[in-house]
Amino acid sequence: WRLFALRGGLHVLAVTLWFYAMARITVAEVTAIGFLNPIVVTIGAALLMGERISWRRALAVAVALIGAMIVLRPGIRVLGVGHLAQLGAALTFGTSYLVAKRLSEQVPAATVVAMMSLTVCIGLAPLALAVWVPPTLVQCAVLAGTALFATAGHYAMTRAFAAAPMTVTQPVTLLQLLWAALLGALAFSEPVDIWVLIGGAVMIGAISYITWR
């Protein structure tokens, strides 16, 4: 129960930071900075769970962090609160995934997903009530679709955690950068920042190498 509560609290904080960032920076930037999740997970799995990390993997982690610096470019451009919020979200999500890995070793994947959904609903309820706006029927349908896909994805992720080391399961999520850049440009007319794509590609290459190793 302590692990369930801990994961719920971490996810509430991470989701709040993620939505705050999404409202202030581009979809591609949010996604690219989110690629730090696998780095947090890889380091955390090595430090806290005893998963082996060779010097080659350590070097790849360093390269991935360089990719993150390419995306953020501190000192070259002003980093807003949205960037800082997404950095916090990446760290918190990564920590939450480590707790999920521990839970997946003790209880079925469906239980992990159900308890996360329950605890996050309880934790986010006060924040939602503070700014509540009654949704329309169309918005309710969109939210239901979002819940369906998110729950299916979370269940699949949890099954993957139980089947393989974290350093193998996480890099697949890096494909999100392609979808995020396209979505931001086509749906929201957001500019495509070439440095975000380059930095994301560096992170994709580094973490793919971790998977290959």
Side-chain angles (χ1 to χ4, degrees), residues 113 117 121 139-155:
V113 175
S117 299
C121 281
Q139 290 169 340
C140 284
V142 173
L143 289 170
T146 303
L148 175 64
F149 284 111
T151 302
H154 190 86
Y155 178 76

Side-chain angles (χ1 to χ4, degrees), residues 76-168:
I76 298 176
R77 67 168 179 174
V78 177
L79 295 181
V81 291
H83 298 97
L84 298 178
Q86 181 58 6
L87 283 171
L91 176 61
T92 313
F93 271 129
T95 307
S96 173
Y97 293 155
L98 290 171
V99 179
K101 171 65 173 177
R102 183 65 70 203
L103 283 168
S104 71
E105 298 169 353
Q106 302 179 39
V107 297
T111 304
V112 177
V113 175
M115 288 303 301
M116 196 277 292
S117 299
L118 177 62
T119 53
V120 171
C121 281
I122 294 172
L124 288 176
L127 299 176
L129 289 174
V131 291
W132 186 258
V133 176
T136 65
L137 289 177
V138 173
Q139 290 169 340
C140 284
V142 173
L143 289 170
T146 303
L148 175 64
F149 284 111
T151 302
H154 190 86
Y155 178 76
M157 181 191 73
T158 307
R159 289 295 299 269
F161 284 172
M166 301 286 277
T167 48
V168 174

Side-chain angles (χ1 to χ4, degrees), residues 139-205:
Q139 290 169 340
C140 284
V142 173
L143 289 170
T146 303
L148 175 64
F149 284 111
T151 302
H154 190 86
Y155 178 76
M157 181 191 73
T158 307
R159 289 295 299 269
F161 284 172
M166 301 286 277
T167 48
V168 174
T169 57
Q170 283 299 290
V172 180
T173 63
L174 297 171
L175 289 172
Q176 293 174 9
L177 180 61
L178 300 177
W179 318 134
L182 287 172
L183 178 66
L186 298 177
F188 302 108
S189 300
E190 293 177 348
V192 177
D193 188 337
I194 187 63
W195 292 108
V196 171
L197 297 181
I198 291 174
V202 170
M203 286 190 277
I204 289 172

